[in-house]
Amino acid sequence: MDKVNILGVKVDMVSIDEAADKIMEFLDEDKVHAVFTPNSEIIMRAYRDEEFCKLLNGADLLTADGIGVVYASRILKKPINERAAGYDIARKVLKKMNDTGHKLFLFGGKPGVAEEAKEKLLIDYPNLNIVGTRNGYFKSEEESEIVAEINNSGADMVFVCLGAPKQEEWINRNKENLKVRAALGIGGSLDVFAGRVERAPEIFCKLGLEWFYRLLKEPWRIGRMMDLPKFAVTVLIHGKKYKQD
């Protein structure tokens, strides 16, 4: 797959459908595949943190979750055709898994969220094989227990919804011991699946203003949102220093 190097993070130039197809291909391979969906904020973190940048680039699939990442690719003359958000990719994957019988484990969110997400997802995808759920609140010494729970469930795929960078670090730290074929770090998707968080209306998504809708709903995010203009300026000034293979 072709990639665009955005401040050191090598993002795959894939659409939502292409990403979902690739993830389904991973299920036929005998290894754990890490899938991350970095937005502007995550790429800025990687720009400041070399180790985190290496972690992201070690993934089997990196998609552009954020209109800012798409705009950055255009500035760098390697345009990504569309934003491939983790939630949208997950929806496509769920639809495919509904027909294949592959097993899914839901990991993350506050207590009760994963179970609620399972109930709602089974309404949309009645043949979906969800074999386990686990909330995202745990101590470090419980990680091996969580990995064992996922492995014992027989899951082929796990949705890891711990928020960035915790989910990416968790997957990277545990992927050698996981028996799943694909581990997707998809942020707050479980909250949306469960109906606890409302996703931005389609018009906001089409206009690339989902971040603005989230800010209106959650004004406490303003501090984190300051990375968006910093990201744009950094790409404009330093983006072309990174080699585009």
Side-chain angles (χ1 to χ4, degrees):
M1 293 179 290
D2 202 5
K3 298 175 181 286
V4 54
N5 189 328
I6 302 176
L7 302 180
V9 178
K10 299 174 182 178
V11 181
D12 289 295
M13 301 172 67
V14 293
S15 66
I16 296 168
D17 285 329
E18 289 168 339
D21 288 341
K22 190 64 181 176
I23 291 168
M24 294 305 294
E25 290 176 13
F26 289 159
L27 299 182
D28 294 325
E29 300 176 14
D30 191 18
K31 59 169 282 193
V32 179
H33 299 79
V35 179
F36 303 144
T37 61
N39 58 18
S40 304
E41 182 184 340
I42 295 172
I43 291 180
M44 279 302 293
R45 176 183 285 271
Y47 178 69
R48 301 181 183 116
D49 184 341
E50 183 178 353
E51 286 303 310
F52 186 58
C53 186
K54 289 180 181 177
L55 187 157
L56 290 182
N57 287 330
D60 297 275
L61 183 65
L62 277 181
T63 73
D65 188 338
I67 196 65
V69 182
V70 174
Y71 287 156
S73 73
R74 294 173 184 172
I75 291 171
L76 298 172
K77 308 300 183 185
K78 290 194 72 174
I80 298 171
N81 289 331
E82 71 173 344
R83 173 187 175 221
Y87 175 85
D88 295 319
I89 293 169
R91 278 289 183 188
K92 292 284 185 179
V93 168
L94 290 167
K95 185 176 181 180
K96 293 175 182 292
M97 292 182 72
N98 190 56
D99 297 326
T100 64
H102 285 104
K103 300 174 183 177
L104 175 67
F105 194 102
L106 305 177
F107 172 36
K110 295 179 180 179
V113 168
E115 290 78 12
E116 290 174 23
K118 176 180 177 178
E119 291 177 11
K120 296 286 180 62
L121 288 174
L122 289 175
I123 295 172
D124 294 336
Y125 313 101
N127 296 321
L128 189 61
N129 195 359
I130 301 176
V131 292
T133 59
R134 206 317 181 158
N135 71 67
Y137 286 68
F138 58 91
K139 298 177 181 178
S140 58
E141 57 266 28
E142 295 178 290
E143 284 200 11
S144 58
E145 175 187 323
I146 295 170
V147 170
E149 184 178 352
I150 295 170
N151 288 341
N152 291 337
S153 74
D156 302 296
M157 184 184 301
V158 57
F159 285 176
V160 183
C161 302
L162 305 176
K166 187 176 181 180
Q167 62 196 13
E168 290 83 6
E169 293 171 344
W170 190 92
I171 291 171
N172 185 66
R173 191 165 56 246
N174 293 288
K175 65 182 181 182
E176 295 302 321
N177 295 318
L178 284 167
K179 295 181 181 179
V180 298
R181 304 295 174 84
L184 280 60
I186 51 173
S189 295
L190 282 186
D191 290 304
V192 183
F193 293 147
R196 292 202 180 189
V197 173
E198 182 182 356
R199 205 170 184 225
E202 188 175 354
I203 185 63
F204 281 82
C205 296
K206 285 185 176 180
L207 293 174
L209 294 173
E210 187 172 8
W211 62 271
F212 181 64
Y213 179 82
R214 291 179 70 187
L215 184 59
L216 291 176
K217 300 287 284 189
E218 301 171 330
W220 56 266
R221 287 181 174 271
I222 184 64
R224 292 171 58 181
M225 291 292 184
M226 291 308 295
D227 259 345
L228 295 176
K230 290 178 184 177
F231 173 74
V233 171
T234 305
V235 171
L236 284 167
I237 296 174
H238 301 294
K240 293 181 180 179
K241 295 179 182 178
Y242 294 85
K243 183 180 178 182
Q244 301 298 328
D245 297 324

